[in-house]
Amino acid sequence: MDAQNLMKASTGGICPEDNELCLRLEKAAVMIQSWWRGKVVRQTVLHAALRAWAIQCWWRSVQARVLEQRRRLALRLYTCQEWAVVKVQARVRMWQARRRFLRARQAACVIQAHWRWYASQTRGLVQGRYEVRASRLELDIEILMA
């Protein structure tokens, strides 16, 4: 079919073939209708794109929130683990320090016991005196052998 027959079929053949003005008006009407349909389609596509963009923005914010929650949970778990490690290390160091202290105290008790025994064995045999004058020490020791 050629363009004129197509126009007649689409318009219902209102205009006679020889009326040029009527054909131009039909052609203008077809152009206006196609422009309007194009505008409606473009507007529909634009609204669909805007809605899709809004949904994408919402979905990205949801994903960001979920990611932030996961990050905070991972940080909380890491912090708990680190605190557990720090507490265990503190307990071990405290136990080591207490053990060193108890050994030192035991050693001091042994030394004191031996010194007391030695002092009781040599009571009265070691006598002495000391005096501090200016910046020097005068020491006078007298040992009596029995």
Side-chain angles (χ1 to χ4, degrees):
M1 274 211 276
D2 63 342
Q4 286 184 346
N5 290 336
L6 183 62
M7 228 184 289
K8 276 185 187 179
S10 64
T11 58
I14 299 172
C15 290
E17 290 183 18
D18 60 344
N19 193 348
E20 189 68 30
L21 179 62
C22 190
L23 287 175
R24 269 205 258 146
L25 287 175
E26 273 187 41
K27 197 173 186 178
V30 168
M31 287 185 67
I32 291 171
Q33 288 172 354
S34 67
W35 170 80
W36 180 254
R37 281 192 299 272
K39 182 178 178 340
V40 169
V41 168
R42 283 190 297 275
Q43 191 175 11
T44 305
V45 169
L46 177 65
H47 285 289
L50 288 175
R51 288 182 188 116
W53 178 75
I55 291 170
Q56 288 171 352
C57 288
W58 169 80
W59 180 245
R60 286 186 193 117
S61 70
V62 167
Q63 285 180 327
R65 254 185 275 132
V66 168
L67 185 66
E68 181 66 20
Q69 287 174 348
R70 285 183 186 164
R71 190 188 66 78
R72 285 182 189 221
L73 179 64
L75 182 63
R76 193 176 303 132
L77 290 175
Y78 175 77
T79 305
C80 288
Q81 289 173 351
E82 285 296 311
W83 270 108
V85 168
V86 167
K87 286 179 182 179
V88 168
Q89 287 174 346
R91 293 278 171 113
V92 168
R93 288 181 184 136
M94 183 178 65
W95 174 74
Q96 289 173 338
R98 180 161 174 74
R99 204 173 69 188
R100 280 193 302 268
F101 167 74
L102 291 175
R103 267 195 261 150
R105 189 174 74 177
Q106 182 64 30
C109 288
V110 168
I111 292 170
Q112 285 177 351
H114 282 88
W115 178 256
R116 287 179 184 144
W117 176 83
Y118 175 76
S120 71
Q121 296 298 316
T122 60
R123 188 166 301 222
L125 298 176
V126 177
Q127 296 176 354
R129 68 177 187 81
Y130 70 92
E131 211 174 304
V132 178
R133 290 189 182 168
S135 63
R136 61 180 201 190
L137 172 68
E138 287 189 22
L139 184 60
D140 219 3
I141 297 178
E142 185 179 318
I143 301 176
L144 300 174
M145 294 292 204

